[in-house]
Every structure is written in structure tokens, then in C-alpha cells.
Amino acid sequence: MRRWIKWTVIVVSAGMTLMLAFGAFIAYSFLTAKVDTVGKVDFDRELAVPPLEEGTVDEQGRRVFDLTMQRGETDLGRDEPTPTWGINGSYLGPTLRAERGEEVLVNVTNDVGEPSTLHWHGMHLPAEMDGGPHQMFDDGETWSPTWRVDQPAATLWYHPHPHGETAKHVYRGLAGMFILDDEEEAALPLPREYGVDDVPVILQDKEFDGSELDTTHGFFESNGILGDTMLVNGTPGPYLDVTTERIRLRLLNASNARVYNLHFSDDREYDVIATDGGLLPEPVRRDHLLLSPGERAEVVVSFEPGETVVLRSDEQDAGSRFTGASDRLDILQLRAADRLERSPEVPDHLADPPDLDRDDVEKTREFELQGTVINGKDMDMERIDETVELDATELWRVRNTDGQPHNFHVHDVQFAIVSVDGSPPPAELAGRKDTVFLPEQSEVELLVRFTDYADPDSPYMYHCHLLRHEDAGMMGQFVVVEPGDEAGEVSGDHAGHHSGHHD
Ligand code: C2O
Ligand code: CU
């Protein structure tokens, strides 16, 4: 009897000690997981601006771009150069630029040593040209999609989309900006001198292990890596010399998991003029702006001669520790010259709002985000989840019923957000969007309409753009068909989608 009691006491107290230790570990991880670099960044490197690539025009009048995805080494501010991947360089890729109405042809050569894809995020184009998981091409091969640019001026981007490997390929450096121009935008008095008063700002947070990029996931990184080092256009600790009274920043969140809450060190207000799919109806004055992975925003910021201000990411009410909501990060220092060139005022009217009307809705679909599945299902390359009729206006109701944040991105289309948690969207979410942030326990309603390209056999994707979730299967497939048609068969096997090299 005595012995029995003694052993019980030993077992129980050992169990309690373990539980306490585990609790302490959780508490410790929670505290140390918080990142705060405010005031700690030196800003001693000039911001790199990705080279502008306008391509060449071939005899058929197509704008042709040549891209090579490759491996290399990059000075990311560590002791040794960091092994990275890049496009036409060692890290990130050039900024592509084309005009509405133009045919483009992109020759993409894979030289990274493993199969990948290149996806045109935000672009309206045929599913076969989309560069999603069905358009894999092997090392040594060239994939040459072609399409006609037909959508409003916008800041889009490109990145790989190999199923299950997207996080890794993007994190190593495969991404770039794709700027579209049109006549309406060109007629507005907005800053537009690339690299001078119209500057790409590609936001990425990195975690290093020595000089190498750390790709392991910490305890609070179930959504993906949250780094403590910010890179802008691949530059650590960057500053930008401002020479004009106003500058336009094209902000792109090309991070795997982090949500930014963008504001300036002196809390100044700025004009948000565009979001994912182009110009807003009118400029929206803000001093904070949330940007989740995949989202873009264009802002115009005013400067006084000689002043210095820092672009930061602030703590966030929405979102959680898993997307960096408790972190504060210094991002980019802006140094205004003592004499600034005149810039025109931001116009009051920018563009017409999306022409999508709730009264036209013919079909409603529900998408529930939970864990790493959508509507309870894991991504299956051979399953078409939704069949959409060409030109129909649809309402997509997306609910995050989870205890953690997600976001929702739809290929091929720019949608209109008509409600956020039952209320009209804030003004900065009233334009054309292709990616929307969904904090825990939230709901958005989107109006979508797919035009131009019906193809029952080639799916487009919708997915969470937290790349670790996407890779884990938080993705679905839809096809666009002529009214009355049915979805075809898709195979998970990529053979037949290859082009270029044959052995
Ligand atoms: Cu930015 Cu399906 O991707
Ligand atoms: Cu997610």
C-alpha cells in the first residue's frame, strides 16, 4: 500500500513537472517569438530597384520577354553571400511592363535544377497560360505562354506555383513585379518615373541561419516562416533618396506568411490610390494599411525638403501572432533632398469602380477556410471543385471559421468586395482585388465574373496565399465553361504541358 502511494506521488509529480516545463516553454516561445526592430535598423544601403524590362517587339507585334529562373548568391547583408534563387539575376526578377491591348509572349527557362512554374498573379488570361500547378516545366525546359493584356492598369506580380513547393521557391527569391499600363491611368497626373518617383517596394521578411536562408519553421510559424530581417527589393536596411515632392510606392507583399500594417514613423497620412487590380475610384487617406501575402497597394506620399521618415510595420489588432500581428518592423528609410521637384496634386477622381452589381448575381458559392482545407477538402490536382459559367456574375461568400488568419486569392479575375463581416467594405477595399485578408472568424462576400476564356479542361486555382497553407493543400480548382457545358477531366500528371526541350 505504502509503495503504491509512493509511486503514485512520483508519477503525478513527474507529470506535473513536465506540464509546467511545457507551459514554460510555450510562454517562453510566445515571448521570444515577438519581433521588434523599430529603431534598430541602420538603413545604410541604397534601395535596389529591380531593372525595368520592357521586352522587345517581334515581327508579329508581340511584346517578348525572356526570363531565366536560376540559382545564385546574393549579398543580403550577412557575413558571406547567401545562396538564393532569382530570375535573370541571383535574387528576385526584373519588373515587366506592358500596356493594355498588347499581346505578350514570355519565354521562361527553368535553370533551378528542379521542376517549377511561373504564375502571373492578378492577370486575366487563359488557364493554360496561367502558370499554375498544371503548367510545370522541368529544369532545362522553356515554357512560353502568350496572351493579350486586357485589364486596367495595375501592379501585378509573378512567382512560381509548383504544388507543394511554392513557399520554398518564393522564399528563395523567385518573384517579380508586372506593371500594366493603360490610357486612363496615363492621363492622370500621378508620379510615374520608374525608380525615381514611382518605386517598387517588394516586402519580404527573412530568417537567417548564419548566412543562409533558414527554411525551418519555429514554434509559432505554423502559417509559414516569420523572419526578423526585412528585405525590400532584396535590400536589407534600405534607404531611398526622395527628389520630388510626392512619390508613388508600389507595395507588394511577397512574403510567405507575414501581414504588414504599413505606417510611417511620424504617423503621417498618405493617399492609397490603387490596390491589387488597379486604381481606386478615389484616393483614400490613411495612416495605416494592412497588406497580407500576395496583396498590393499603391500609395502616394508627400515630403517636405530635408526630412527623413521611416516606413514601418506596426502591431495589428486583426490577425494573430502566426502572421506577425504582434511584431513591429522598420522597413525603409525615405530621405528627402533639400530641394524637391514639384509634383502635381493627387487627383480626386481616379477610375471607375468595378462594374459588378449584386442585383446581377446568378449563382452563390460558399467557401469555408478552416485549418489547411477549403470546404473540408484538401487540394486534389485531379478534382474540379467548381464549374463556373462564362460571363455569369457570381457571389462568392468566403468564411474563415478558424482560430487563425488566412487569406483568399482567386486566379484570372479581379473581384469586388461587397461586404466584410456583414458591413460595406472600407474605402481601401472598394476597388479591384484578387486577394483578400481574412482574420480569424471573419467573412467576406465577393462579386466575381469570369470573361473571355472558357476551357473545361484547364483549371484555375483559388487558395490561401499564406504559402505554407497553400502548399499543405489549402487550394481548390475551378474551370470556366460556356453556359451549359460541363467540366472536363484534368490529370494530376504534368506530361503534355511541357514545351521547349525534348530528349
Ligand atoms: Cu500568387 Cu495562386 O498565387
Ligand atoms: Cu491560410
Side-chain angles (χ1 to χ4, degrees):
M1 187 65 186
R2 273 266 182 72
R3 179 174 293 165
W4 181 82
I5 291 173
K6 184 174 152 201
W7 278 106
T8 306
V9 167
I10 288 173
V11 168
V12 166
S13 50
M16 283 177 61
T17 310
L18 265 172
M19 276 165 61
L20 276 172
F22 186 65
F25 169 73
I26 301 266
Y28 174 78
S29 310
F30 200 74
L31 290 172
T32 54
K34 185 177 153 85
V35 178
D36 190 342
T37 67
V38 166
K40 295 179 200 138
V41 175
D42 286 338
F43 299 116
D44 53 1
R45 291 190 186 213
E46 189 170 2
L47 177 69
V49 175
L52 186 61
E53 179 55 77
E54 293 182 273
T56 54
V57 177
D58 71 3
E59 61 292 346
Q60 297 171 54
R62 295 180 302 188
R63 189 166 292 281
V64 183
F65 300 100
D66 294 307
L67 301 180
T68 302
M69 306 196 281
Q70 60 197 47
R71 294 180 180 227
E73 288 189 329
T74 308
D75 176 4
L76 296 180
R78 315 302 294 181
D79 295 338
E80 304 283 330
T82 301
T84 52
W85 292 9
I87 297 159
N88 297 0
S90 69
Y91 191 78
L92 296 178
T95 297
L96 308 183
R97 191 152 199 165
E99 219 171 296
R100 185 167 193 170
E102 282 185 313
E103 300 272 343
V104 296
L105 166 69
V106 198
N107 298 308
V108 193
T109 300
N110 179 350
D111 197 18
V112 290
E114 55 187 271
S116 191
T117 80
L118 205 59
H119 165 60
W120 320 103
H121 180 127
M123 195 78 73
H124 174 49
L125 77 185
E128 270 190 312
M129 308 298 170
D130 190 40
H134 291 276
Q135 286 90 41
M136 293 281 275
F137 53 110
D138 273 327
D139 183 51
E141 290 189 326
T142 298
W143 177 62
S144 300
T146 178
W147 69 94
R148 180 166 175 271
V149 173
D150 192 12
Q151 66 191 93
T155 302
L156 310 184
W157 67 300
Y158 58 91
H159 62 79
H161 216 301
H163 185 39
E165 304 281 323
T166 295
K168 191 173 83 179
H169 287 204
V170 174
Y171 191 70
R172 289 174 176 167
L174 298 182
M177 214 172 248
F178 203 142
I179 297 177
L180 299 183
D181 299 307
D182 70 4
E183 281 170 15
E184 286 76 28
E185 189 275 342
L188 294 171
L190 291 169
R192 57 165 50 79
E193 201 181 331
Y194 184 80
V196 176
D197 63 2
D198 182 356
V199 183
V201 176
I202 303 176
L203 301 168
Q204 297 180 307
D205 58 324
K206 300 292 168 186
E207 185 149 292
F208 288 93
D209 176 8
S211 297
E212 316 228 324
L213 288 171
D214 187 353
T215 50
T216 58
H217 294 93
F219 196 73
F220 282 93
E221 295 179 332
S222 65
N223 286 347
I225 294 165
L226 292 172
D228 53 9
T229 303
M230 278 305 300
L231 300 181
V232 182
N233 305 341
T235 311
Y239 68 85
L240 174 69
D241 284 322
V242 174
T243 57
T244 53
E245 289 175 346
R246 293 189 174 80
I247 59 166
R248 173 188 197 166
L249 300 175
R250 295 181 188 253
L251 303 158
L252 157 63
N253 184 346
S255 307
N256 287 36
R258 185 177 288 287
V259 177
Y260 298 94
N261 187 14
L262 298 165
H263 84 126
F264 289 94
S265 47
D266 60 357
D267 287 320
R268 73 181 51 196
E269 294 189 325
Y270 45 86
D271 286 307
V272 184
I273 59 164
T275 53
D276 302 341
L279 292 168
L280 287 164
E282 51 218 25
V284 177
R285 252 356 237 167
R286 286 288 179 260
D287 58 15
H288 280 79
L289 183 71
L290 282 183
L291 214 58
S292 75
E295 288 184 293
R296 287 87 65 211
E298 296 176 33
V299 301
V300 175
V301 197
S302 301
F303 291 88
E304 296 294 330
E307 66 176 353
T308 292
V309 64
V310 175
L311 175 66
R312 287 182 178 155
S313 182
D314 206 353
E315 288 165 288
Q316 302 152 38
D317 303 330
S320 79
R321 171 138 294 177
F322 296 93
T323 47
S326 44
D327 298 347
R328 299 199 309 156
L329 295 156
D330 266 1
I331 297 174
L332 171 68
Q333 188 185 56
L334 298 128
R335 304 177 179 172
D338 291 334
R339 281 206 45 217
L340 297 175
E341 294 196 26
R342 292 296 307 269
S343 309
E345 302 246 345
V346 176
D348 294 335
H349 174 79
L350 297 168
D352 293 335
D355 75 329
L356 285 156
D357 195 331
R358 202 174 184 132
D359 293 341
D360 299 334
V361 168
E362 292 170 47
K363 166 110 190 151
T364 299
R365 295 175 205 266
E366 310 275 345
F367 299 89
E368 187 196 19
L369 312 179
Q370 172 69 246
T372 56
V373 292
I374 300 179
N375 290 342
K377 291 178 289 185
D378 249 326
M379 163 74 170
D380 180 344
M381 295 274 288
E382 297 177 28
R383 184 190 66 228
I384 301 294
D385 297 282
E386 308 289 337
T387 302
V388 177
E389 290 191 351
L390 193 67
D391 294 326
T393 301
E394 302 201 348
L395 181 87
W396 287 22
R397 185 173 297 120
V398 189
R399 286 179 306 137
N400 176 1
T401 56
D402 212 348
Q404 58 173 333
H406 295 287
N407 72 7
F408 192 72
H409 167 50
V410 187
H411 286 207
D412 181 46
V413 81
Q414 295 293 331
F415 50 73
I417 302 173
V418 282
S419 80
V420 176
D421 293 332
S423 307
E428 73 273 18
L429 294 182
R432 294 166 178 81
K433 293 282 293 168
D434 57 51
T435 307
V436 57
F437 183 44
L438 282 121
E440 47 274 47
Q441 303 294 333
S442 64
E443 176 185 308
V444 294
E445 289 180 310
L446 317 173
L447 290 179
V448 291
R449 184 170 58 231
F450 297 89
T451 57
D452 300 314
Y453 311 114
D455 180 351
D457 303 315
S458 302
Y460 296 105
M461 307 293 133
Y462 55 83
H463 58 89
C464 177
H465 218 288
L466 305 188
L467 299 183
R468 201 169 183 219
H469 290 176
E470 174 186 338
D471 283 346
M474 198 162 197
M475 177 152 67
Q477 312 196 96
F478 67 99
V479 288
V480 178
V481 299
E482 296 287 351
D485 262 13
E486 277 172 23
E489 299 264 313
V490 279
S491 80
D493 150 34
H494 317 112
H497 293 274
H498 296 169
S499 62
H501 148 109
H502 300 276
D503 22 35

